[in-house]
Amino acid sequence: MRPVRLTEVARQAVCDALCPGDLAIDATVGNGHDTRFLAETVAPDGKVLGLDVQQAALDATRVRLNAIWPSSRGSPVDLFRCGHEQLRRTVPPDWHGRVGAVMFNLGYLPGGDKTLITRRETTLAALDQALPLLRPGGLISLMVYRGHPGAQDEADAISQWALGLTGNFEVTHHDSPGPCLYLIERRC
Ligand code: SAH
């Protein structure tokens, strides 16, 4: 039997947490696979915000989304060239406490600049800002890589951060020989 990939575990958990019409965030847009997945899950009435520091990532994602929603007016996705450490002020105030899911897929852009990676300080800042955005039942999906330079440092810091979460949040950890996945659900 084929082993279940962590990306599938993450998507199933996000799918279970989200309802049509929901608000969702892709905190590391990359090539836009998760952005598109979130948009298809919450469409037609929901909204998705996507953040990335690289214009190349946002351009590739816009092309991917245009294949489904040719007019940006019909698209449920707003893209921001901005670091996720700016999450709180990028997300409209009326979304705070109402977000159904926030997805993080850390590391570098596949096929892009491998020196432009997510980093411990900014990732932890983004995670701290993501928690109060969630509604009860909302979920953070956090895919963490450990293979590239700097990755283990980020992974260790995230592990400590997750251990410090209080009873309002339920953390599930999935490990693999490659990445590991944290699913963080807001209970109430
Ligand atoms: N490692 C994954 C893909 C990760 S893509 C895989 O193999 O599929 C990670 C994305 O995070 C990249 O596009 C990168 O530009 C983006 N990124 C890096 N720092 C960021 C930050 N501070 N805020 C938002 N996005 C960031």
Side-chain angles (χ1 to χ4, degrees):
M1 210 169 67
R2 185 172 68 90
V4 180
R5 288 166 47 115
L6 288 188
T7 46
E8 291 170 23
V9 176
R11 285 190 177 193
Q12 188 57 57
V14 168
C15 206
D16 291 346
L18 281 176
C19 317
D22 242 338
L23 307 171
I25 298 171
D26 188 347
T28 49
V29 162
N31 285 317
H33 298 284
D34 287 334
T35 316
R36 174 182 164 171
F37 158 73
L38 290 171
E40 289 181 325
T41 306
V42 301
D45 298 321
K47 286 288 290 179
V48 177
L49 302 189
L51 287 72
D52 203 293
V53 289
Q54 284 192 71
Q55 191 59 46
L58 300 179
D59 291 345
T61 298
R62 186 49 72 195
V63 169
R64 188 178 303 285
L65 296 172
N66 282 349
I68 311 169
W69 296 281
S71 138
S72 62
R73 278 178 58 206
S75 164
V77 181
D78 289 337
L79 296 176
F80 295 86
R81 185 175 180 186
C82 138
H84 42 222
E85 62 278 13
Q86 310 288 336
L87 194 59
R88 185 169 37 231
R89 67 174 196 223
T90 307
V91 175
D94 63 331
W95 282 39
H96 293 204
R98 296 177 53 218
V99 172
V102 185
M103 293 188 83
F104 290 81
N105 191 345
L106 302 178
Y108 55 82
L109 180 66
D113 182 351
K114 292 193 177 168
T115 63
L116 218 171
I117 55 171
T118 55
R119 295 188 184 277
R120 178 175 70 169
E121 290 76 13
T122 41
T123 300
L124 292 183
L127 287 167
D128 280 335
Q129 292 175 38
L131 292 174
L133 296 177
L134 294 176
R135 61 161 161 70
L139 187 81
I140 296 174
S141 159
L142 173 61
M143 192 73 79
V144 183
Y145 297 80
R146 294 167 288 196
H148 55 276
Q152 190 62 52
D153 184 44
E154 184 183 41
D156 290 344
I158 289 168
S159 163
Q160 284 303 312
W161 174 87
L163 282 174
L165 289 176
T166 59
N168 270 356
F169 296 95
E170 183 174 332
V171 182
T172 315
H173 181 243
H174 298 263
D175 213 345
S176 86
C180 69
L181 171 69
Y182 293 87
L183 298 171
I184 301 153
E185 184 183 344
R186 180 171 169 196
R187 284 202 181 104
C188 54

